[in-house]
Amino acid sequence: MSVLIIVFLTAVVALFSGVFEQGKFARYIGILGLIIALWVSFMPEAAFFGQYRHMYDYTANTALFTKISIVTTLLLFFLGGFAFSNHRSHQSELYALMLFALCGGIILFGFQNLVTLFLGVEILSIPLYVMAGANKTDLRSNEASIKYFLMGAFATGFLLFGIAFIYGSTGSFDLYKIQDFGVSNPKDVMFILGVLLILCALAFKVALAPFHMWSPDVYYGSPSLITAFMASVVKISGFFALFRLMTIGFGGVTEEWINVFGVFLIITLLLANVMGLAQTNAKRMLAYSSVSHAGYIGLVFFGMTSLSTYNLAFYLFAYSLSTVGVFMCLIYVEKLKRETSFGAFKGLAKSEPLLATAAAISMLSMAGIPLTAGFMGKFALFSQAMNSDHGAFLVLVAVLGSAVSIAYYLRLIISMFFFKESTFKSSEKVTLTYNIVAVFVIASIIVLGVFPDLFARQFGL
């Protein structure tokens, strides 16, 4: 909770910095606040907050996912100077909204109560509706904002309706009391209906098919840095909230929802990867790639062991690093070319080899190529899922999906590396910050792919 308060206060200070200097200091305030929050996240929780444990419990798992989301947000803040250079008049609002959304994510890592879950989801979502429409003069950005808002409101209705059913049948919002009710009344119709409604609402938040319809348009229309934030931090928050709710609160009725969830995964893995192949725009392709990764991550619910939470954390961290690596390259190209088609990337490796290499390694990691962090993450989840009843079939679908994904990632890599003529002017060099982040991403993906145990040590496990 100390971390939550630090991030919130940082957001408020960043927001008010816009009053004095048009927000040019907001990014530095955000970076400083996030570094302090990351440092505090390694410390034990203050005893004072123990009285709120029935609403928000800062466990070891909460700390782990909080650290991952803070590191990812920090990397995105480093990219913000160049990405938001045409938002000079309202930079402070954008940075503050990102931090407010992160507050919602941190609440989702430790919620102990369905009311806290609802608050976390809304605090995470509402800033995103605003940020999606940050390019006020761009119709696609306006469309992204309104589409996200309408679909988000629809999903919130599902969530509240589900919570009402759960409360109506159990008489409690507490996760552990709900779990006890589920164990003793596994066939209660109102309870099962509530579980399925909440599952659908959270499937929307993490963009699982068939609730992914908003995702490609919103990802495509939003400013690229905000899209990277949605694809990484928002996915981390949404998936851990889903994992915590389904394994603790609804763990007693797993048999009632696990098959429905399995169907969601199969549709997601097949649909997203096939649609990804059909795209001619890199940003839309990455949107479908993000949907497909929701399918891979969902395998964590099958064949669960004591290592499941760790496997989930490792995969989400590896995926977030890759997202930062690809979007860093996309932001640079979009800024110079004002478009994100595959053709816009032609010859990038000639003028910016480090940036192109970071993007290529990130995409190979997303595809699950050996010696990358993404491969180790997929291997752990696939191995775990094989131990469940229908796990073999799900893993087969996931492996086929991964094979298809290589094709659309390679299209972008070929565009960057295999065209002799570079369409980029040598005068438009990338900033030092981007090169530093590129080196960090490349090193992290390869080192975690070769020595995955370093992840556990680095995050205090």
Side-chain angles (χ1 to χ4, degrees), residues 273 277 296 367 378 397-408:
N273 284 306
L277 268 182
Y296 304 128
K378 278 185 180 174
V397 173
V399 169
L400 287 173
S402 281
V404 171
S405 74
I406 294 171
Y408 56 75

Side-chain angles (χ1 to χ4, degrees), residues 166 169-170 178 181-182 188-195 249-250 253:
I166 297 293
S169 50
T170 64
I178 291 167
F181 180 88
D188 187 292
V189 177
M190 191 189 286
F191 184 74
I192 301 302
L193 196 57
V195 170
F250 305 146
V253 289

Side-chain angles (χ1 to χ4, degrees), residues 62 223 256 365 409:
T62 308
E256 310 299 326
S365 177
Y409 292 132

Side-chain angles (χ1 to χ4, degrees), residues 46-367:
F48 172 79
F49 297 119
Q51 59 190 311
Y52 302 109
R53 193 160 285 160
H54 64 288
M55 294 293 281
Y56 178 84
D57 192 12
Y58 194 76
T59 61
N61 289 337
T62 308
L64 170 63
F65 283 87
T66 300
K67 289 166 194 167
I68 293 170
S69 61
I70 289 174
V71 168
T72 308
T73 310
L74 201 51
L75 289 174
L76 294 174
F77 264 65
F78 281 124
L79 305 181
F82 183 68
F84 285 157
S85 58
N86 59 338
H87 291 280
R88 292 200 185 281
S89 59
H90 52 271
Q91 272 192 24
S92 57
E93 293 99 304
L94 289 170
Y95 290 121
L97 286 168
M98 282 172 81
L99 291 167
F100 283 130
L102 178 62
C103 287
I106 293 170
I107 291 170
L108 289 178
F109 297 139
F111 74 93
Q112 203 64 345
N113 187 297
L114 292 183
V115 176
T116 322
L117 166 70
F118 175 72
L119 284 173
V121 167
E122 290 308 293
I123 293 169
L124 176 70
S125 302
I126 292 169
L128 292 171
Y129 304 151
V130 181
M131 287 191 287
N135 287 341
K136 296 173 192 173
T137 54
D138 185 354
L139 284 175
R140 288 179 313 191
S141 186
N142 295 338
E143 181 200 355
S145 183
I146 196 76
K147 194 170 274 188
Y148 198 13
F149 171 68
L150 290 173
M151 297 298 288
F154 193 65
T156 299
F158 269 70
L159 180 63
L160 280 174
F161 207 16
I163 290 173
F165 276 135
I166 297 293
Y167 183 73
S169 50
T170 64
S172 175
F173 289 121
D174 186 86
L175 283 191
Y176 290 100
K177 288 178 182 170
I178 291 167
Q179 183 186 41
D180 294 341
F181 180 88
V183 171
S184 52
N185 302 276
K187 300 295 177 188
D188 187 292
V189 177
M190 191 189 286
F191 184 74
I192 301 302
L193 196 57
V195 170
L196 294 177
L197 281 168
I198 292 176
L199 176 61
C200 291
L202 292 178
F204 166 87
K205 294 296 176 192
V206 296
L208 272 171
F211 304 96
H212 73 295
M213 301 84 67
W214 59 275
S215 178
D217 289 338
V218 172
Y219 280 28
Y220 181 53
S222 304
S224 294
L225 192 75
I226 304 305
T227 305
F229 184 79
M230 288 180 195
S232 53
V233 176
V234 176
K235 216 169 210 69
I236 295 168
S237 309
F239 254 105
F240 187 65
L242 185 63
F243 183 77
R244 189 173 171 83
L245 187 65
M246 291 302 177
T247 52
I248 299 176
F250 305 146
V253 289
T254 304
E255 290 177 10
E256 310 299 326
W257 59 261
I258 195 75
N259 292 331
V260 175
F261 195 77
V263 173
F264 288 173
L265 294 193
I266 292 167
I267 299 170
T268 304
L269 290 165
L270 295 175
L271 185 73
N273 284 306
V274 171
M275 288 300 290
L277 268 182
Q279 302 310 310
T280 56
N281 185 288
K283 203 170 176 185
R284 283 190 85 86
M285 178 273 283
L286 289 169
Y288 280 107
S289 157
S290 178
V291 175
S292 74
H293 279 279
Y296 304 128
I297 298 164
L299 291 171
V300 76
F301 290 98
F302 295 85
M304 277 197 284
T305 64
S306 56
L307 283 173
S308 292
T309 311
Y310 173 78
N311 292 342
L312 177 65
F314 186 91
Y315 191 99
L316 285 168
F317 186 60
Y319 169 66
S320 297
L321 282 174
S322 302
T323 301
V324 171
V326 179
F327 272 93
M328 178 170 55
C329 184
L330 187 112
I331 288 164
Y332 174 72
V333 173
E334 187 180 32
K335 205 75 166 173
L336 298 188
K337 298 295 182 69
R338 302 194 181 283
E339 60 158 336
T340 52
S341 63
F342 286 117
F345 289 79
K346 283 183 180 176
L348 177 65
K350 293 277 189 299
S351 58
E352 293 296 342
L354 190 61
L355 207 59
T357 304
I361 288 173
S362 297
M363 284 185 283
L364 293 175
S365 177
M366 283 180 175

